[in-house]
Amino acid sequence: MSDRLPHEKGFHVSWDQLHRDARALAWRLDGKGPDEGNWRAVVGITRGGLVPAAIVARELDIRKVDTISVKSYSHQEQREAKVIKPTQPDIMENGGEGVLIVDDLVDTGNTLKLVRELFPKAQFATVYAKPKGAPLVDTYITEVSQDTWIFFPWDMALQYVQPYRGTE
Ligand SMILES: O=P(O)(O)OC[C@H]1O[C@H](OP(=O)(O)OP(=O)(O)O)[C@H](O)[C@@H]1O
Ligand SMILES: Nc1nc2[nH]cnc2c(=O)[nH]1
Ligand SMILES: [Mg+2]
């Protein structure tokens, strides 16, 4: 069992909000790459990093997009982080220098710690960050408290809610 449960609060992110926040991340990273402001590739940490990585790659016109698959959670329970699919070998050259690594969020930092060992010279960016993991990210957009669980649009559906004042 994780010592991170239960989460007191929920932060529910819509597709629209995620798109805005991922664009804001791209805006912040624009022109900051080592080669005349450019990065040589974007790597999304699957699965959560896939959508933000695609948005950042589109905004910054980065055509080389790869993935690294890391699994560390089963629903809200944390397990040991494991790489279950690496990137192409050329992405790892020179410690990942010039590579932008994108994830949806950093929580405890376990996932990024593992990926940073593989890419010590890469730039790390997430859309959201919790305080414990925030020092492991170079750039992020929004910080939420450690006792908040972030719900992404792909984990939610529209549904009816009761009005605050019931009709008895
Ligand atoms: O900072 P940490 O405590 O390591 O947590 C952050 C990681 O947890 C989630 O991934 P998860 O392992 O749930 O897999 P998923 O991206 O496939 O949903 C999230 O997408 C981050 O990658
Ligand atoms: N969806 C989601 N996955 C996570 N993995 C670690 N923390 C979180 C979180 O707050 N939300
Ligand atoms: Mg993930």
Side-chain angles (χ1 to χ4, degrees), residues 101-121:
I101 301 191
V102 177
D103 207 350
D104 51 358
L105 70 103
V106 61
D107 186 325
T108 61
N110 277 358
T111 303
L112 290 194
K113 224 175 275 165
L114 181 68
V115 180
R116 266 194 186 275
E117 280 167 22
L118 301 169
F119 299 90
K121 293 194 185 156

Side-chain angles (χ1 to χ4, degrees), residues 45-49 70-73 103-105 111:
I45 302 178
T46 72
R47 295 160 302 177
V70 178
K71 186 171 194 305
S72 62
Y73 286 80
D103 207 350
D104 51 358
L105 70 103
T111 303

Side-chain angles (χ1 to χ4, degrees), residues 1-7 47 71-81 107-108 110-111 149:
M1 260 303 269
S2 162
D3 59 0
R4 302 169 57 265
L5 293 174
H7 290 85
R47 295 160 302 177
K71 186 171 194 305
S72 62
Y73 286 80
S74 185
H75 300 288
Q76 293 190 23
E77 285 186 36
Q78 189 175 27
R79 315 216 185 261
E80 191 194 347
D107 186 325
T108 61
N110 277 358
T111 303
W149 188 260

